Amino acid sequence: AQSVTQPDIHITVSEGASLELRCNYSYGATPYLFWYVQSPGQGLQLLLKYFSGDTLVQGIKGFEAEFKRSQSSFNLRKPSVHWSDAAEYFCAVHTGTASKLTFGTGTRLQVTL
Amino acid sequence: DSGVTQTPKHLITATGQRVTLRCSPRSGDLSVYWYQQSLDQGLQFLIQYYNGEERAKGNILERFSAQQFPDLHSELNLSSLELGDSALYFCASSVMSGPTNEQFFGPGTRLTVL
């Protein structure tokens, strides 16, 4: 069965610093990969997605992610973090055989000023 | 605002009770998904409906059931509630079914079982 691992439960970065959130997936074929963000008391908002093609995908709010098949990874990056980026970030995989998203456990991002 | 609405926002009830959570998908979306977010289990897929028909089932307990009505809104019924059912329940919707259809999430219903 497909699974998603987010090894970092909590990350703290300074405002203006770069950010990388890790995501590893387990699935035999090429998965459909997503990053969502959840702000306190809010639902989930899609940041970006990868289906096929260019392995570097751009998303909203200045985020990007790179799909690396050899490492089964889909890490999320941002060159300069803003205080408003503090939130919980979820990586998810959607496999073609099942109409559901499987989420990782999430990474809580704290931004210090 | 995703366009997906969920009511109520908060629900507090007692063990053994039954509750109904309601979801209105975005206009034009045929597919509705229910997810549960709890501290123990994280975010888990419960069930999906597409145009009134059950399409996929996840880790949904037998005490839980859902349906999608002709106007495409959906309800999630939780019965014989236990303390462990306390969680945030999200509804999401998409135009069609399948992985390339972005799921838009509602703000959630926070259920507290006392």
Side-chain angles (χ1 to χ4, degrees), chain A residues 10-88:
Chain A
H10 187 210
I11 282 184
T12 300
V13 300
S14 301
E15 190 175 39
S18 63
L19 171 71
E20 182 167 29
L21 302 183
R22 296 182 291 165
C23 172
N24 291 95
Y25 67 90
S26 172
Y27 181 59
T30 300
Y32 299 93
L33 294 159
F34 305 80
W35 275 99
Y36 282 85
V37 61
Q38 183 180 24
S39 298
Q42 305 290 317
L44 287 88
Q45 182 182 22
L46 180 67
L47 287 175
L48 47 76
K49 59 195 176 198
Y50 172 78
F51 294 159
S52 64
D54 193 348
T55 55
L56 184 62
V57 293
Q58 302 297 321
I60 62 171
K61 305 186 182 192
F63 286 92
E64 66 177 27
E66 186 170 13
F67 170 63
K68 291 186 178 178
R69 184 191 303 275
S70 60
Q71 297 176 21
S72 297
S73 69
F74 188 56
N75 293 348
L76 182 72
R77 300 193 294 245
K78 186 169 185 178
S80 177
V81 167
H82 188 260
W83 64 266
S84 60
D85 292 324
E88 186 135 26

Side-chain angles (χ1 to χ4, degrees), chain B residues 31-50:
Chain B
S31 200
V32 169
Y33 310 77
W34 286 97
Y35 291 86
Q36 179 195 59
Q37 184 178 34
S38 65
L39 288 174
D40 304 345
Q41 305 288 332
L43 255 169
Q44 286 200 100
F45 168 76
L46 295 178
I47 198 164
Q48 179 206 0
Y49 278 81
Y50 176 73

Side-chain angles (χ1 to χ4, degrees), chain A residues 32 34 36 38 41-47 49 51 88 90 94-105, chain B residues 9 33 35 37 42-45 48 55-58 88 90 97-108:
Chain A
Y32 299 93
F34 305 80
Y36 282 85
Q38 183 180 24
Q42 305 290 317
L44 287 88
Q45 182 182 22
L46 180 67
L47 287 175
K49 59 195 176 198
F51 294 159
E88 186 135 26
F90 292 92
H94 191 312
T95 61
T97 56
S99 293
K100 65 172 187 174
L101 287 169
T102 299
F103 287 89
T105 49
Chain B
K9 231 176 140 89
Y33 310 77
Y35 291 86
Q37 184 178 34
L43 255 169
Q44 286 200 100
F45 168 76
Q48 179 206 0
R55 178 60 66 96
K57 221 167 184 174
L88 196 46
F90 286 110
S97 185
T100 59
N101 291 275
E102 179 179 343
Q103 293 183 29
F104 293 84
F105 282 76

Side-chain angles (χ1 to χ4, degrees), chain B residues 9 12 26-27 36 43 58 67 85 93 106 108:
Chain B
K9 231 176 140 89
I12 301 174
R26 293 186 323 152
S27 176
Q36 179 195 59
L43 255 169
Q67 57 185 129
D85 297 328
S93 73

